[in-house]
Every structure is written in C-alpha cells, then in structure tokens.
C-alpha cells in the first residue's frame, strides 16, 4: 500500500458499547435474574464509558437504562435493577483523586453486589422454611427460582406436596412441576381455572415476584392476583418471595398503571371481513360464509398470548407476608424499607 493510500485511508471507528447485547449475554446464565443482569450490564457500561465527570456518568447510565427499557417487552423487574444501581452510583461516597479510580471502584462494587445477591435465594429459603409445616400442601404459580429453591429445601427436611398452576400464556407451571417431580417432590399441574376448586386442599400459597412495589403490593406472573383473591376468600395465607433487588419505587393503583400495559393488551380486534348485508342473497349464502369465517378466522394460542398481559398487580391487603433477604416483611414493612433504601 502506498503512503498516499495510508494517509487517505479512513480512521477505524470505535464501536459504541451495546448495553442491550451485554444484558442479553448475561441473561444466558440461568442463575442471573433480570434485575441482576441489568445491574451487571450497567456495570459493563461504566467500564466502557469515557465519562470524565459524575454528571456525564449518571447521564450515560440513565441513557443505558432507557435503552434497556425500550427494548424489553416487560421492563418492570429490569427497571428495579437499573433504579437501584443508579441510586447507588449517585449516593456513593468517594474521595478519589482521579475520576478513573472512582469508576474502577464502582465497577468492583457492582460486581461484588451481584455476587452477594446470588446468595439471597438461599437466605429467603431458610427464612420461609420456618413457616412451612410438615405435611404441608402448597399452591404455587408459574416458575420462580427462589420458590423452587425454597420448595427443594423444604422437601429435604419436611414432607410437602405441591399444586402448580399451568400459568398461561407462558405455561411455565409445567417447568416447575417437571423440576419438582425430578427431585422427588409430589406435585401436579392444575388448570389456571381450577384454582378455586383446589384451594380447599391447600395450606397456603407461595409465589415469586417480578417486583414488589412501594405500596407493598406484588407484580408477578398474570394470574397471581386472582389466586390471592381466592386465597383471601378461603382464609388461606398468601406468601410472596422476593429478593431485595426486586423492590421497586412504583405505585400502581390498578392493573392499567403497570409499565407493561399498552393499548394492544385486551383490545378488541377488527373483524377480517365486514358483516354481510341482510339481503336475501346474503341469507341464502350464510352457511357458506360461516364456514369461510371458521377457516380464515381461527384464533391461535399465539394470538391469545399477544392480546393478554404477562404480569398483574396484587394489592398489599391480599398479601400475608413478603419473605426477602432483609427479613420477613408485612406489606407496610416493605414500604418503610423502600423509603430507607433510596434515602441514602
């Protein structure tokens, strides 16, 4: 290559750090939950950031959090992790002479927190175990890592049986039941519509969480709310398990205040064909038209899933206790903890 070509060759463009690609890569580890993956992705963002001031760094973190939120179909638990980490960075006390030293320390603290947070499920399982009596019949919903760890620990020390809801539209209850059966835990899958039918046989309900909000209410896989309502009517305890990094400064008043709600959910689709005019000719061919509608307008499970929510909100008055790595809390206790957590 000639000197002239070297002089006029374009400079290599430095690739921008892709925080969402980092987030997705971290999530490949089955032990890492969504909020923790968000925290680790933002930690990677700091490592790749050229920010020279705290203002620039916080702006970069907020921009990264927004990118994660915009590209996620259900950003609730992700938001909880982002919110926690950005608050930590903002309030972090430092006296570093160089800003680069501060960034290094923040990266180390973020990684250290994530490592420690992986122990939270064990703490929660040990705490919840004290509320599980021998020969308990438990109802759980969908799939939750912390619920699985609690049930497997209980199985080692006590006799338990578990009813697992099918948990449509994702159908993750089957995964729970298969894992429990493989570990020797007596379990069976029930229809979501059979919760009231089975509640009389149940000692208590045990569910995981997407997030626990400021009111002490719970956001979890859709169907959790109706299970809690039925449990209250049957006078059965409803327990939620939640790692503290899922505590979220959000205050929904109804299902439609959730960040995951949009106009597509529970919408009425337009008919693919206009209604036929009420003419003699239309009446004569009505039978054929009906067959045509059945053939071309069949409703698929995919369409049902797309038109329904993935999560719902359970009011705090329906929740007996929240078991967390910071202790067993009433919903009011969760509210008080959240205030202190973000007050520095």
């Amino acid at each position: 290559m000639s000197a002239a070509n070297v002089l006029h060759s374009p400079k290599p463009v430095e690739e921008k750090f892709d925080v969402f690609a980092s987030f997705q890569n971290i999530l490949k580890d089955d032990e890492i939950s969504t909020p923790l993956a968000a925290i680790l992705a933002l930690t990677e963002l700091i490592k790749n950031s050229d920010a020279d001031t705290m203002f620039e760094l916080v702006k970069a973190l907020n921009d990264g959090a927004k990118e994660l939120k915009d590209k996620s179909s259900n950003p609730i638990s992700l938001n909880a992790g982002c919110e926690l980490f950005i608050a930590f960075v903002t309030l972090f006390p430092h006296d570093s002479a160089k800003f680069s030293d501060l960034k290094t320390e923040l990266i180390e603290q973020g990684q250290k927190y994530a490592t420690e947070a992986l122990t939270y499920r064990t703490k929660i399982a040990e705490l919840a175990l004290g509320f599980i009596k021998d020969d308990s019949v438990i109802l759980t919903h969908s799939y939750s890592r912390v619920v699985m760890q609690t049930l497997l620990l209980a199985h080692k020390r006590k006799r338990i049986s578990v009813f697992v809801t099918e948990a449509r539209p994702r159908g993750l209850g089957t995964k729970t039941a298969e894992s429990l059966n493989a570990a020797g835990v007596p379990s069976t899958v029930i229809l979501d519509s059979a919760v009231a039918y089975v509640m009389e046989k149940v000692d208590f309900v045990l569910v995981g969480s997407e997030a626990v909000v400021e009111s002490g209410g719970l956001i979890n896989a859709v169907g959790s709310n109706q299970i809690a309502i039925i449990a209250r009517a049957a006078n059965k305890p409803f327990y939620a398990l939640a790692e503290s990094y899922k505590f979220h400064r959000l205050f929904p008043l109804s299902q439609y205040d959730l960040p995951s709600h949009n106009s597509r959910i529970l919408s009425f689709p337009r008919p693919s064909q206009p209604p036929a005019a009420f003419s003699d000719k239309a009446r004569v061919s009505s039978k054929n038209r009906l067959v045509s509608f059945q053939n071309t307008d069949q409703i698929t499970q995919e369409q049902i899933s797309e038109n329904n929510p993935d999560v719902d909100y359970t009011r705090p008055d329906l929740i007996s206790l929240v078991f967390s790595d910071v202790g067993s809390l009433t919903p009011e206790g969760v509210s008080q903890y959240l205030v202190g957590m973000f007050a520095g």
Side-chain angles (χ1 to χ4, degrees):
M1 184 181 290
S2 68
N5 287 336
V6 171
L7 290 173
H8 290 93
S9 61
K11 292 181 180 179
V13 179
E14 188 174 339
E15 289 186 14
K16 180 186 175 184
F17 174 68
D18 190 336
V19 68
F20 188 69
S22 175
F23 170 74
Q24 288 183 307
N25 188 52
I26 293 166
L27 274 181
K28 290 177 182 177
D29 185 339
D30 287 340
E31 292 301 307
I32 303 290
S33 60
T34 300
L36 274 187
I39 289 171
L40 288 170
L42 292 181
T43 302
E44 286 293 313
L45 189 150
I46 294 178
K47 188 185 295 184
N48 289 274
S49 169
D50 56 4
D52 293 322
T53 66
M54 180 59 78
F55 176 82
E56 291 175 350
L57 182 61
V58 172
K59 183 181 184 303
L61 289 172
N62 281 318
D63 290 345
K66 184 178 185 303
E67 183 178 343
L68 291 176
K69 176 183 176 181
D70 291 345
K71 291 183 177 180
S72 175
S73 58
N74 176 22
I76 294 172
S77 61
L78 183 152
N79 282 348
C82 290
E83 185 179 71
L84 178 65
F85 186 67
I86 293 172
F88 165 76
V89 169
T90 305
L91 297 170
F92 187 71
H94 61 89
D95 53 4
S96 306
K98 295 180 181 178
F99 191 69
S100 58
D101 293 340
L102 172 61
K103 287 166 68 175
T104 301
E105 192 170 356
L106 288 171
I107 292 165
E108 290 173 355
Q109 290 294 328
Q111 293 170 340
K112 181 181 177 182
Y113 175 80
T115 301
E116 182 186 345
L118 289 175
T119 68
Y120 289 174
R121 293 179 198 134
T122 302
K123 292 180 181 179
I124 294 169
E126 291 283 357
L127 184 64
L129 186 65
F131 288 77
I132 302 176
K133 296 178 181 179
D134 193 39
D135 239 3
S136 289
V137 177
I138 304 164
L139 172 63
T140 191
H141 180 54
S142 191
Y143 180 85
S144 161
R145 297 177 186 89
V146 66
V147 169
M148 279 300 307
Q149 191 155 336
T150 301
L151 293 175
L152 293 176
L153 179 63
H155 173 61
K156 289 178 181 178
R157 303 184 187 178
K158 302 177 182 182
R159 292 169 295 177
I160 61 168
S161 303
V162 185
F163 287 112
V164 186
T165 57
E166 190 179 13
R168 286 183 176 270
R170 289 183 282 183
L172 292 177
T174 304
K175 179 181 179 181
T176 299
E178 287 173 349
S179 300
L180 290 173
N181 286 332
V185 182
S187 62
T188 189
V189 178
I190 66 167
L191 297 172
D192 296 327
S193 51
V195 169
Y197 188 97
V198 81
M199 190 61 75
E200 187 178 338
K201 293 177 173 288
V202 169
D203 291 307
F204 61 88
V205 178
L206 194 67
V207 300
S209 63
E210 290 276 335
V212 179
V213 296
E214 273 190 281
S215 63
L218 174 73
I219 300 174
N220 195 39
V222 67
S224 300
N225 182 44
Q226 64 193 29
I227 294 173
I229 291 170
I230 294 168
R232 169 56 62 87
N235 200 29
K236 301 295 175 72
F238 182 94
Y239 299 131
L241 308 182
E243 302 92 324
S244 58
Y245 53 73
K246 291 182 178 179
F247 288 5
H248 191 7
R249 284 197 305 176
L250 188 68
F251 208 108
L253 298 176
S254 73
Q255 308 297 340
Y256 309 105
D257 292 329
L258 297 181
S260 56
H261 183 74
N262 59 63
S263 58
R264 172 184 54 79
I265 293 175
L266 302 180
S267 60
F268 293 100
R270 293 182 178 180
S272 58
Q273 298 179 10
F278 289 100
S279 62
D280 291 339
K281 186 176 180 180
R283 290 190 181 96
V284 169
S285 60
S286 61
K287 185 176 181 180
N288 293 332
R289 276 202 312 279
L290 180 59
V291 172
S292 175
F293 251 81
Q294 289 175 339
N295 289 336
T296 61
D297 291 275
Q298 291 179 345
I299 299 174
T300 65
Q301 286 297 326
E302 184 180 357
Q303 288 172 326
I304 294 172
S305 297
E306 289 176 354
N307 197 43
N308 277 271
D310 287 329
V311 297
D312 63 19
Y313 169 65
T314 302
R315 302 190 320 263
D317 60 292
L318 298 173
I319 301 169
S320 305
L321 282 174
V322 176
F323 295 106
S324 177
D325 49 281
V326 296
S328 54
L329 304 173
T330 62
E332 293 82 4
V334 171
S335 300
Q336 293 169 6
Y337 181 83
L338 261 168
V339 170
M341 190 165 128
F342 288 96

